[in-house]
Amino acid sequence: MPALLELDNITISFGGLTALNRVSLRVEEGKINSLIGPNGAGKSTIFNVITGIYTPTYGRVIFQGEDITREKPYLITARGIARTFQNIRLFKNLTVLDNVKIGCHSSSRAGLFGAVTRLGWVKREEREITARAQRALEIVGLASKGDELAKNLPYGEQRRLEIARALAASPRLLLLDEPAAGMNPQEKQTLMEMVQRIREMNITIMLVEHDMSFVMNLSDHVDVLNYGEKIAGGTPAEIRQNPRVIEAYLGNEIE
Amino acid sequence: MDGIMRILTDPYYIQVLTLTGIYLIAALGLHLITGVTGQFSFGHAGFMSIGAYTAALLTLHLHTPLILNLLVGGLAAGFAGILLGFPSLKLTGDYLGITTLGFAEIVRVVFINMKITGGTQGLAGIPKETSLLLVIVVAVLSVWCMYRIQNSRFGRALMAIREDDIAAEAMGINTLIYKVKAFAVGTFFAGVSGGLYAHLMQYLNPFDFGVTRSFDLLNFVVLGGLGSIPGTILGTTVLTMAPEFLRFVNKYRMLIYSALMVIMMIFRPNGLLGGVHLKDLRRAFTRRRSTEMASQ
């Protein structure tokens, strides 16, 4: 079966620093795929390459069989890849509902003319957007907070709002960049259930996360990066046994 | 009541009110660019002058009706906005500000050196066709347009760019195109406002549209409250009328005006009505009405 997303020999350097070196990996449809590695290993860089924020120096990104390596970020979103950000990037001064409505952008089409005339189809589309945004908020448990400003939400809810905003784009592939960062164990538990529910909606998930129990409990497949190179890939059980992974995280034994 | 009638029939007050309305139309355009989309433009008066000269020349040479001239003036300004927008909206913040400032200066110098615009002598003999009523109608129409634009998918995309352009792009918004569109619409309003100005003053001089005028317009929008339509209306009204009503202390007029601005910056750093939106006002009004109905 062809993979939903495939990275083929991705290499990217910033000046003299090679952030990713010949990284190849496959994201299988319908699975939860995780990316782990020590700080600075290049995990977020991979997300930025996939979503078109960075263009790789070498290598290709294939999504649903098509090369999207040099495509603009907004077009990649329209193809069905949505993401959250490691350092929360909400539209702070807009309401929670408006944040999620903006997530519906690429699947709606009313423009300037529609805004001024508010023809029948524009109103219909707007109602549809509102309904879809509301459903996305329900999935992450924020349905009652639609009218609040995003900046007034507590931290954990801001992280969930980012997920709702990405879900509103109706993605095939959802990239979550450290969704559990800064959450307490209880919030992490809720988040884990949420991610599983999203997978059941037939959305493939790619996850960057530092919390090992979170990753190991949730993932179907784990890839490990260290210093910009992929050092291992496999099921959580295989990764846990892999000597190179243990070495990357805990260091070498002194001979 | 008697006082109001006297104000409404006094030519001086009518002139001040008409000017306020004209500035409001230009300020609403800048509100879309700066307040809603978050792109700083220091050259809005330059676009006003493009609209003003275009409309005036059409009236003088082709004798076409005013409404058409206003529209063409607006379109000319909007077209200039697109031409400037494509290369410069890739820049952000200060850089964009400097580019727009420079552009407005270029426009001014071009008008000074062109024969058809009368050069430094200015363009005289434009018929007086702008009336207070017309300005009120256009201003109300502009507010209505802005309200609809801001509360739509289009407006949300603009606000997303203001809040975080990387996240906006990741949500599927083509940020450059949307910024250019906002710029085009905003400068269109400046052009219409310029056309009205030309047919009110009956005389145009490139020096009328210098840096000071651009910053005046920016002041209206910022001190009224960035991103708020009621704020833009209040800011324009207060800051246009204050210098006029302060004429009785002639010598200290500009001093008091400046002090007013400093005080506003200290006590209302987000502008007079920052964060207040027409939508909220409408909601508050309907809520009050329904509670009144319930209590009856």
Side-chain angles (χ1 to χ4, degrees):
Chain A
M1 198 181 85
L4 180 66
L5 178 84
E6 207 172 331
L7 300 192
D8 175 25
N9 270 316
I10 292 292
T11 301
I12 182 168
S13 18
F14 302 105
L17 176 84
T18 305
L20 294 174
N21 190 10
R22 296 187 164 275
V23 175
S24 297
L25 50 89
R26 288 161 60 87
V27 174
E28 303 285 348
E29 184 144 20
K31 293 193 171 156
I32 298 179
N33 304 264
S34 290
L35 204 53
I36 61 171
N39 282 324
K43 306 180 296 290
S44 289
T45 309
I46 286 201
F47 272 18
N48 285 336
V49 167
I50 296 172
T51 52
I53 294 176
Y54 295 156
T55 307
T57 323
Y58 181 80
R60 293 185 309 158
V61 183
I62 315 274
F63 181 63
Q64 294 182 315
E66 283 178 75
D67 191 335
I68 59 164
T69 318
R70 269 163 238 297
E71 217 160 72
K72 290 261 193 304
Y74 67 90
L75 291 174
I76 291 178
T77 310
R79 279 178 182 271
I81 301 182
R83 70 172 293 179
T84 67
F85 291 89
Q86 184 183 348
N87 44 344
I88 304 177
R89 280 182 176 276
L90 288 171
F91 308 122
K92 292 199 189 74
N93 295 305
L94 304 184
T95 63
V96 167
L97 187 63
D98 274 348
N99 265 275
V100 186
K101 278 178 166 184
I102 290 167
C104 302
H105 185 88
S106 47
S107 52
S108 46
R109 61 194 182 90
L112 182 59
F113 178 74
V116 178
T117 55
R118 283 198 193 165
L119 297 174
W121 70 268
V122 178
K123 282 188 194 159
R124 234 175 357 251
E125 185 183 85
E126 185 68 24
R127 271 198 299 275
E128 234 166 74
I129 291 174
T130 313
R132 247 173 60 202
Q134 201 61 42
R135 270 202 304 280
L137 282 177
E138 271 159 28
I139 293 169
V140 301
L142 290 175
S144 59
K145 304 236 172 172
D147 286 333
E148 277 188 54
L149 290 186
K151 65 177 175 188
N152 293 339
L153 291 186
Y155 179 83
E157 292 185 356
Q158 290 196 6
R159 284 231 169 264
R160 267 146 59 191
L161 176 54
E162 274 226 329
I163 297 176
R165 187 177 65 175
L167 277 179
S170 330
R172 303 274 321 258
L173 174 65
L174 178 63
L175 309 180
L176 301 174
D177 200 346
E178 297 199 23
M183 285 190 170
N184 63 36
Q186 222 175 345
E187 286 173 318
K188 278 180 189 169
Q189 191 56 42
T190 328
L191 182 68
M192 220 184 285
E193 287 157 17
M194 215 175 283
V195 173
Q196 262 151 354
R197 226 176 310 145
I198 294 169
R199 192 236 320 245
E200 280 154 25
M201 290 162 56
N202 211 4
I203 295 172
T204 309
I205 290 165
M206 195 172 175
L207 186 75
V208 162
E209 186 50 63
H210 274 299
D211 186 311
M212 278 309 137
S213 70
F214 190 89
V215 169
M216 295 302 174
N217 280 322
L218 208 53
S219 314
D220 302 304
H221 181 92
V222 180
D223 286 300
V224 189
L225 286 181
N226 194 22
Y227 292 116
E229 290 185 39
K230 182 173 149 182
I231 56 171
T235 63
E238 286 165 3
I239 293 299
R240 231 176 299 205
Q241 307 296 326
N242 189 311
R244 290 190 69 190
V245 177
I246 296 167
E247 187 188 313
Y249 272 90
L250 298 176
N252 249 335
E253 245 176 277
I254 301 169
E255 304 267 323
Chain B
M1 203 60 215
D2 199 41
I4 295 173
M5 276 318 289
R6 214 173 51 228
I7 286 175
L8 286 180
T9 48
D10 186 317
Y12 168 70
Y13 287 118
I14 288 179
Q15 179 86 353
V16 173
L17 278 175
T18 316
L19 259 185
T20 309
I22 289 174
Y23 289 146
L24 175 61
I25 296 161
L28 283 168
L30 191 58
H31 154 82
L32 189 71
I33 296 170
T34 304
V36 179
T37 320
Q39 310 300 309
F40 271 86
S41 168
F42 296 152
H44 210 55
F47 295 102
M48 219 178 138
S49 75
I50 292 175
Y53 276 100
T54 309
L57 289 172
L58 283 176
T59 304
L60 286 173
H61 296 290
L62 299 176
H63 312 290
T64 37
L66 179 66
I67 297 297
L68 181 76
N69 298 349
L70 291 179
L71 271 177
V72 175
L75 289 176
F79 184 66
I82 293 173
L83 279 189
L84 176 69
F86 262 111
S88 59
L89 283 166
K90 287 182 179 164
L91 309 169
T92 49
D94 312 347
Y95 299 104
L96 178 63
I98 301 294
T99 316
T100 50
L101 184 70
F103 178 77
E105 279 303 288
I106 291 169
V107 169
R108 197 169 63 88
V109 172
V110 166
F111 283 149
I112 287 175
N113 287 294
M114 270 183 10
K115 223 177 214 131
I116 193 168
T117 58
T120 43
Q121 306 262 298
L123 193 62
I126 308 161
K128 181 160 179 157
E129 289 178 9
T130 299
S131 65
L132 178 57
L133 184 69
L134 176 69
V135 169
I136 290 176
V137 169
V138 178
V140 168
L141 211 65
S142 308
V143 170
W144 179 82
C145 269
M146 281 302 158
Y147 174 77
R148 287 208 153 181
I149 288 176
Q150 213 171 330
N151 294 290
S152 69
R153 171 177 176 272
F154 183 80
R156 279 195 303 270
L158 299 183
M159 289 189 281
I161 292 170
R162 176 190 70 198
E163 295 291 315
D164 189 324
D165 56 343
I166 292 181
E169 184 106 11
M171 290 301 118
I173 297 166
N174 183 347
T175 51
L176 179 63
I177 290 292
Y178 271 84
K179 282 194 274 189
V180 172
K181 280 185 183 169
F183 216 70
V185 176
T187 49
F188 170 82
F189 279 96
V192 172
S193 151
L196 288 166
Y197 181 89
H199 291 86
L200 175 73
M201 292 304 188
Q202 299 172 267
Y203 169 72
L204 286 178
N205 186 311
F207 297 100
D208 286 353
F209 303 101
V211 182
T212 339
R213 176 66 30 89
S214 289
F215 276 96
D216 276 346
L217 289 168
L218 198 59
N219 270 336
F220 298 162
V221 176
V222 173
L223 290 176
L226 273 177
S228 155
I229 295 175
T232 303
I233 299 172
L234 188 70
T236 310
T237 314
V238 169
L239 293 180
T240 312
M241 294 196 170
E244 300 296 336
F245 288 110
L246 286 171
R247 275 188 199 281
F248 66 98
V249 279
N250 215 347
K251 245 197 243 165
Y252 306 104
R253 196 156 68 102
M254 289 326 280
L255 192 70
I256 296 177
Y257 182 74
S258 320
L260 247 172
M261 292 225 272
V262 173
I263 291 169
M264 274 165 76
M265 275 185 271
I266 293 170
F267 291 104
R268 297 286 302 180
N270 291 326
L272 285 174
L273 293 177
V276 178
H277 299 292
L278 274 183
K279 204 164 63 176
D280 308 333
L281 294 179
R282 213 170 82 172
R283 208 179 291 160
F285 181 69
T286 47
R287 203 179 300 144
R288 208 184 63 199
R289 228 178 21 188
S290 58
T291 50
E292 268 170 20
M293 298 258 257
S295 65
Q296 268 170 11

